[in-house]
Amino acid sequence: TGDVLAMVSMPSYDPNSFSDGIGKTEWAWLSDDPRKPLGNKVLNALYPPGSTIKPMGALALLEAGIDPSDRVHCGGGYALGNRFFRCLGRHGSVDMRRAIAKSCNTYFYAMGHKVGYDKIAPMAKRLGLGEKFDLPVVSQSYGTVPDSEWKRRKFETNRGIVERPDWTASDTLNASIGQGFLIVNPLQLAMMSARIASGRALQPLLIGRHDKSPPLLGIEPKHLETVRGGMWEVVNGDGTAGASRLPFPDIQMSGKTGTAQVR
């Protein structure tokens, strides 16, 4: 629904310490902690989402004309020129639903390369990545949904000289598995999942409840069903999150795992 039931940022701190003026020692301890307890990580911290964005990528591929039954052979990675982009396994022949369930990088490398990231980025924005939400908070960090135009602006110098401006196939492959220039905050990722689940342009709400249904996203219902099916297999089939299956026979959870490298 978009209603936020809990918002947790860890590690935290005791707000009572500030009620009568915090001491210098405690303030130094909090402000110097590399885990940044004073920050709201839900809204202000930015992370590469890794494979958690593959359901979004799958919806973009479907909208770009990719048939979900088309198969890609995963032998452990994808060759691009003299570079080899690795997968975490050797998944053999996979279609879209299987690629989501097994989190096959090779599939998303190949299909992302085929359609180009300029056709994927709009879906990321439609699902809430890079979006500013109307919330009663002091600040939010919005992250980056990159595309070729963004990269041209990024590397333009003050003198108008463009340095490394062109979007490359390598950029597409990295972004297709949630790395490279793509960064998001945790609430954006939660809203992406909620929009896929509902098919609607949900907005997060901290206080009260939504009194009407938000508008539809305009995504084909059959596309949503394909992606939801892959996310169901992630948890309830032989996908990457079987250990997270809920111990309740009448409640099933769908989702997507992700691990990102940070350099």
Side-chain angles (χ1 to χ4, degrees):
T1 64
D3 299 326
V4 179
L5 303 183
M7 183 180 285
V8 180
S9 181
M10 296 293 289
S12 189
Y13 60 92
D14 183 359
N16 292 311
S17 297
F18 291 86
S19 60
D20 294 321
I22 191 170
K24 291 183 178 180
T25 300
E26 187 176 1
W27 170 253
W29 176 72
L30 289 171
S31 58
D32 294 340
D33 189 330
R35 299 177 300 167
K36 301 186 184 302
L38 293 173
N40 181 344
K41 294 181 174 66
V42 179
L43 293 171
N44 289 123
L46 297 172
Y47 306 97
S51 293
T52 56
I53 51 84
K54 285 175 180 173
M56 175 282 296
L59 285 173
L61 294 174
L62 290 165
E63 198 162 270
I66 297 296
D67 189 318
S69 64
D70 287 350
R71 306 184 78 86
V72 170
H73 179 77
C74 173
Y78 184 80
L80 179 68
N82 61 359
R83 294 185 63 188
F84 189 72
F85 289 76
R86 296 191 178 279
C87 189
L88 295 179
R90 296 177 181 268
H91 300 113
S93 180
V94 294
D95 61 8
M96 179 177 287
R97 182 162 166 160
R98 187 70 175 164
I100 295 172
K102 303 301 286 186
S103 201
C104 179
N105 286 350
T106 304
Y107 177 91
F108 286 94
Y109 289 147
M111 292 303 190
H113 190 198
K114 184 174 183 178
V115 305
Y117 204 76
D118 280 356
K119 291 187 177 180
I120 298 176
M123 181 62 72
K125 295 174 182 177
R126 204 189 315 181
L127 293 182
L129 304 185
E131 184 173 335
K132 176 184 179 182
F133 299 122
D134 184 17
L135 294 172
V137 295
V138 174
S139 64
Q140 297 176 54
S141 297
Y142 315 129
T144 299
V145 175
D147 57 20
S148 57
E149 179 57 31
W150 171 87
K151 190 178 182 185
R152 278 193 289 271
R153 295 195 308 269
K154 173 74 174 177
F155 290 106
E156 187 173 288
T157 68
N158 293 331
R159 293 179 296 172
I161 301 171
V162 176
E163 300 173 348
R164 299 178 294 162
D166 296 329
W167 185 268
T168 68
S170 295
D171 292 331
T172 292
L173 268 56
N174 283 324
S176 293
I177 62 163
Q179 302 207 156
F181 295 117
L182 181 65
I183 51 174
V184 304
N185 71 40
L187 184 61
Q188 291 171 345
L189 204 57
M191 292 310 301
M192 180 198 81
S193 304
R195 290 181 183 184
I196 292 172
S198 67
R200 295 183 176 276
L202 299 173
Q203 289 291 322
L205 189 68
L206 299 183
I207 302 171
R209 291 290 182 268
H210 288 291
D211 57 2
K212 60 182 179 180
S213 295
L216 293 170
L217 286 166
I219 299 173
E220 289 281 348
K222 63 181 181 180
H223 294 172
L224 287 168
E225 284 305 311
T226 295
V227 172
R228 290 170 185 159
M231 295 176 75
W232 182 89
E233 287 191 25
V234 168
V235 184
N236 305 286
D238 64 344
T240 54
S244 298
R245 189 176 300 127
L246 295 177
F248 310 114
D250 56 339
I251 302 176
Q252 293 183 334
M253 176 174 66
S254 299
K256 182 69 193 77
T257 57
T259 305
Q261 293 178 333
V262 182
R263 295 189 179 183

